[in-house]
Amino acid sequence: MTLSCKIKLCFINILLIASWPLIANTYKVISYDPANPPHNISTIDQQGKATISGIFSDIFHQIGEITGDTFIMVKMPAARAMLEFDLGRVDIEPGINPIWRNNSKEIGLYSIAYERVEEVIVFRSGDEFEVKGPRDLFGHKVGIVRGFTYPRFEASFTNNDINKVLNKSESLLIKQLLAERVDQIFISKSSIQYMKRHLPTLRDIVVGDVVSSVEVMMRVHPTKLELLPRLNKALQQMIDNKSIEKIIAKYQ
C-alpha cells in the first residue's frame, strides 16, 4: 500500500471515529402497562389508537432532540418488562434506583441521577396513623408495586411481621385499598398527588409519611453501552437548564 493510500485510509478512519457520537440509533423504552400516571399516561384516541404521554415520554422526546436518537415507548406489564430487559429485547427502563434491581438476572448500566423521588404510605380516610418505622405496621397488610424495594421495611416483609401484597401497578394498588383488600399502600408521592387531582373518587384518600426517598436513573441494557455517554450528557444538560424540572412541574 502506498503512503498516500495509507494517509487516505487513516483520514477515513478518523472521520468514522469522530462521527460515532453523531450516529442516531433507535432504542426501546419500557412503559408499564397498566400505566402509572404521571410518569406514564396511556390514552386511546377516537380511532382507537393508543398513545403514551407523561413525564418519561416527554423526557425521552427531549433527549432525542439533543442526541438525535429515536426513543420508542413500549407498553408491557412490569413482570414481562423485567424478563424482556434480562433478554436484551428492550433497552431502557426509566426512573429506576439500582437497589430495586439488585436481584435481577441482568443488573444493567445506570445513567446519572436526574431526580429524587419520594414514596409515601397511603390510607383510606379515617384509618390514617403516623408511620415512623416498620414496627408501626406490624400485623398490617401493605400493598406495593412488584419490583419495588423499601430497604427499611424489607426485613419485616421477609419475617412476615408486615404482610406484603404485590400488584402490577400503582393504579391497581389504589383499587385494592379502596376495596379494603389491603390496609395501606406504598406509592410514589407524585403519582398519588396526580391521581387525587384528576380522580374525584380519591379526594378522601389520605397521604401519610414518607417511607422511601431515593435518586432515580435510567437503567440501560449493557448491549447499548454506546448510548450511555450521550444519555448522560443530555440528562446533565436538561438538569442544568431545568428542563426536567419543568417537565415534572407540567404534571403537578
Side-chain angles (χ1 to χ4, degrees):
M1 184 183 291
T2 65
L3 179 61
S4 61
C5 287
K6 288 181 180 179
I7 292 172
K8 282 184 180 179
L9 183 58
C10 182
F11 181 68
I12 290 170
N13 287 334
I14 290 170
L15 287 178
L16 286 172
I17 291 170
S19 70
W20 285 351
L22 303 177
I23 295 172
N25 293 312
T26 298
Y27 300 97
K28 294 180 180 179
V29 182
I30 294 169
S31 178
Y32 292 132
D33 182 25
N36 56 332
H39 297 89
N40 292 304
I41 301 171
S42 182
T43 54
I44 306 294
D45 62 21
Q46 293 181 342
Q47 287 72 42
K49 182 180 178 182
T51 59
I52 299 172
S53 58
I55 291 173
F56 291 149
S57 178
D58 288 2
I59 286 176
F60 277 100
H61 177 75
Q62 192 156 336
I63 290 172
E65 290 184 338
I66 296 169
T67 67
D69 297 298
T70 298
F71 297 94
I72 301 172
M73 308 299 292
V74 182
K75 289 176 61 175
M76 60 182 66
R80 182 185 161 198
M82 307 295 174
L83 176 61
E84 294 292 295
F85 188 92
D86 284 344
L87 296 173
R89 295 200 287 242
V90 290
D91 307 315
I92 304 168
E93 185 181 20
I96 297 295
N97 184 280
I99 198 170
W100 298 342
R101 298 294 179 262
N102 269 346
N103 296 321
S104 297
K105 181 179 177 181
E106 177 54 73
I107 299 299
L109 308 172
Y110 286 85
S111 73
I112 62 171
Y114 65 89
E115 182 190 3
R116 175 166 286 276
V117 298
E118 291 184 338
E119 302 274 326
V120 294
I121 187 166
V122 174
F123 305 86
R124 291 182 294 274
S125 179
D127 294 340
E128 65 271 19
F129 55 87
E130 189 175 52
V131 175
K132 293 302 181 186
R135 286 189 174 275
D136 297 318
L137 292 174
F138 279 11
H140 288 258
K141 190 182 293 183
V142 178
I144 70 171
V145 176
R146 183 178 286 107
F148 281 65
T149 302
Y150 300 89
R152 283 200 299 150
F153 296 85
E154 289 307 313
S156 299
F157 290 149
T158 301
N159 296 333
N160 292 318
D161 295 323
I162 304 172
N163 185 1
K164 177 175 67 174
V165 179
L166 301 176
N167 211 322
K168 295 188 293 185
S169 72
E170 294 177 325
S171 57
L172 292 176
L173 284 180
I174 289 287
K175 290 180 180 180
Q176 281 185 305
L177 181 67
L178 293 176
E180 300 187 15
R181 289 198 283 270
V182 294
D183 301 320
Q184 301 88 22
I185 61 174
F186 290 175
I187 188 172
S188 162
K189 186 176 181 179
S190 60
S191 294
I192 189 60
Q193 289 175 335
Y194 179 88
M195 287 189 271
K196 280 173 67 69
R197 280 193 301 274
H198 292 83
L199 298 173
T201 55
L202 301 186
R203 284 176 184 162
D204 291 334
I205 289 290
V206 178
V207 178
D209 295 296
V210 172
V211 294
S212 174
S213 177
V214 297
E215 292 183 320
V216 290
M217 304 134 201
M218 304 301 182
R219 181 181 177 224
V220 178
H221 196 274
T223 57
K224 300 300 183 289
L225 174 63
E226 82 287 343
L227 170 64
L228 208 53
R230 300 200 300 278
L231 181 60
N232 283 336
K233 186 175 180 180
L235 286 171
Q236 189 61 60
Q237 179 178 323
M238 293 170 69
I239 292 168
D240 292 343
N241 66 19
K242 300 190 182 303
S243 294
I244 292 178
E245 189 177 310
K246 291 173 185 175
I247 288 170
I248 293 170
K250 173 182 170 183
Y251 294 93
Q252 291 179 344

